[in-house]
Coordinates of all heavy atoms in Angstrom, one line a residue:
I31 N 122.3 106.1 102.5 CA 122.6 104.9 103.4 C 121.3 104.3 103.8 O 120.6 104.9 104.5 CB 123.4 105.2 104.6 CG1 124.7 106.1 104.3 CG2 124.0 104.0 105.3 CD1 125.7 105.6 103.3
L32 N 121.1 103.1 103.3 CA 119.8 102.4 103.5 C 120.1 101.2 104.5 O 121.1 100.7 104.5 CB 119.3 101.8 102.3 CG 118.8 102.8 101.2 CD1 118.7 102.0 99.8 CD2 117.6 103.5 101.5
G33 N 118.9 100.8 105.2 CA 119.0 99.6 105.9 C 117.8 99.5 106.9 O 117.0 100.3 106.8
G34 N 117.7 98.3 107.5 CA 116.6 98.1 108.4 C 116.9 98.8 109.8 O 118.0 99.4 110.0
A35 N 116.0 98.6 110.7 CA 116.2 99.1 112.1 C 117.3 98.4 112.8 O 117.5 97.2 112.5 CB 114.9 98.8 112.8
R36 N 118.2 99.1 113.3 CA 119.4 98.7 114.0 C 120.4 97.9 113.0 O 121.0 97.0 113.4 CB 119.0 97.7 115.2 CG 118.1 98.5 116.3 CD 119.0 99.5 117.0 NE 118.3 100.1 118.2 CZ 118.0 101.3 118.3 NH1 118.5 102.2 117.4 NH2 117.4 101.7 119.4
S37 N 120.4 98.4 111.8 CA 121.2 97.7 110.8 C 122.7 98.2 110.8 O 123.6 97.6 110.3 CB 120.7 97.9 109.4 OG 120.6 99.2 109.1
G38 N 122.8 99.4 111.4 CA 124.2 100.1 111.5 C 124.3 101.2 110.5 O 125.3 101.8 110.3
K39 N 123.1 101.5 109.9 CA 123.0 102.6 108.9 C 123.4 104.0 109.4 O 124.3 104.7 108.8 CB 121.8 102.7 108.1 CG 120.6 103.0 108.9 CD 119.3 102.8 108.2 CE 118.1 103.1 109.1 NZ 118.0 102.2 110.2
S40 N 123.0 104.3 110.6 CA 123.3 105.6 111.1 C 124.8 105.7 111.6 O 125.4 106.7 111.4 CB 122.4 106.0 112.4 OG 121.0 106.1 111.9
E68 N 109.9 105.2 124.3 CA 110.8 104.4 123.4 C 111.5 105.3 122.3 O 112.7 105.2 122.1 CB 110.0 103.3 122.8 CG 110.9 102.2 122.1 CD 111.3 102.7 120.5 OE1 110.5 103.3 119.9 OE2 112.3 102.2 120.1
R72 N 115.5 106.3 121.7 CA 116.2 106.2 120.4 C 116.9 107.5 120.2 O 118.0 107.6 119.7 CB 115.2 105.9 119.2 CG 114.8 104.5 119.2 CD 113.7 104.2 118.0 NE 113.4 102.8 118.1 CZ 114.0 101.9 117.3 NH1 114.9 102.3 116.5 NH2 113.5 100.7 117.3
H76 N 121.0 108.3 119.6 CA 121.6 108.9 118.6 C 122.4 110.2 119.0 O 123.5 110.4 118.5 CB 120.5 109.4 117.6 CG 120.1 108.2 116.6 ND1 120.8 107.8 115.5 CD2 118.9 107.4 116.6 CE1 120.2 106.8 114.9 NE2 119.1 106.5 115.6
D110 N 119.1 112.4 109.2 CA 118.7 111.1 109.8 C 117.3 111.3 110.5 O 117.1 112.0 111.4 CB 119.6 110.6 110.8 CG 119.6 109.2 111.2 OD1 118.6 108.5 110.6 OD2 120.4 108.8 112.0
C111 N 116.3 110.8 109.8 CA 116.2 109.9 108.7 C 115.1 110.3 107.7 O 114.2 110.9 108.2 CB 116.2 108.5 109.0 SG 114.6 107.8 109.4
T113 N 112.9 108.4 106.3 CA 111.6 107.6 106.5 C 110.8 108.4 107.7 O 109.5 108.5 107.6 CB 111.8 106.2 106.9 OG1 112.9 106.1 107.8 CG2 112.0 105.5 105.6
V149 N 120.1 109.1 105.5 CA 119.9 107.9 106.0 C 118.3 107.6 105.8 O 117.5 108.5 106.0 CB 120.2 107.9 107.5 CG1 119.8 106.6 108.2 CG2 121.6 108.2 107.9
S150 N 118.1 106.4 105.4 CA 116.7 105.9 105.2 C 116.5 104.4 105.5 O 117.5 103.7 105.3 CB 116.3 106.2 103.7 OG 114.9 106.2 103.6
N151 N 115.4 104.1 106.0 CA 115.1 102.8 106.2 C 114.6 102.1 105.0 O 113.9 102.8 104.2 CB 113.8 102.6 107.2 CG 114.4 102.9 108.6 OD1 115.1 102.2 109.2 ND2 114.0 104.1 109.1
E152 N 114.9 100.9 104.6 CA 114.5 100.1 103.7 C 113.2 99.4 104.2 O 113.4 98.5 105.0 CB 115.5 99.1 103.1 CG 114.9 98.2 102.0 CD 114.1 98.9 100.9 OE1 114.8 99.7 100.2 OE2 112.9 98.7 100.8
V153 N 112.0 99.8 103.9 CA 110.9 99.4 104.5 C 110.0 98.4 103.6 O 109.1 97.7 104.1 CB 109.9 100.5 105.0 CG1 110.6 101.2 106.1 CG2 109.4 101.3 103.8
G154 N 110.5 98.2 102.4 CA 109.8 97.3 101.5 C 110.1 95.9 101.4 O 109.8 95.3 100.5
L155 N 110.9 95.4 102.4 CA 111.3 93.9 102.4 C 110.4 93.0 103.1 O 110.6 91.8 103.1 CB 112.8 93.9 102.9 CG 113.8 94.6 102.2 CD1 115.2 94.6 103.0 CD2 114.1 94.1 100.8
F187 N 123.6 99.8 101.1 CA 122.6 99.1 101.9 C 123.4 98.4 103.0 O 124.5 97.8 102.9 CB 122.0 98.0 101.1 CG 120.9 97.3 101.8 CD1 119.7 97.8 102.1 CD2 121.3 96.0 102.4 CE1 118.7 97.0 102.8 CE2 120.3 95.3 103.1 CZ 119.0 95.8 103.3
T188 N 122.9 98.7 104.3 CA 123.6 98.2 105.4 C 122.7 97.1 106.1 O 121.6 97.4 106.3 CB 123.9 99.3 106.5 OG1 124.6 100.3 105.7 CG2 124.8 98.8 107.6
A189 N 123.3 95.9 106.4 CA 122.6 94.9 107.2 C 123.6 94.3 108.2 O 124.7 94.0 107.8 CB 122.1 93.8 106.2
A190 N 123.1 94.1 109.5 CA 124.0 93.6 110.5 C 125.4 94.3 110.5 O 126.4 93.6 110.9 CB 124.2 92.1 110.3
G191 N 125.4 95.6 110.3 CA 126.5 96.4 110.3 C 127.6 96.3 109.3 O 128.7 96.8 109.3
R210 N 131.8 97.1 115.8 CA 131.1 97.1 117.1 C 131.4 95.9 117.9 O 131.2 94.9 117.4 CB 129.7 97.5 116.8 CG 128.9 97.6 118.1 CD 127.6 98.2 117.9 NE 127.7 99.6 118.2 CZ 126.7 100.5 118.0 NH1 125.6 100.1 117.5 NH2 126.9 101.8 118.2

Side-chain angles (χ1 to χ4, degrees):
I31 312 300
L32 297 165
R36 300 294 190 232
S37 63
K39 63 189 177 298
S40 292
E68 189 273 338
R72 283 179 179 265
H76 280 281
D110 199 355
C111 80
T113 41
V149 177
S150 190
N151 287 287
E152 176 50 66
V153 297
L155 295 174
F187 181 78
T188 307
R210 180 168 262 174

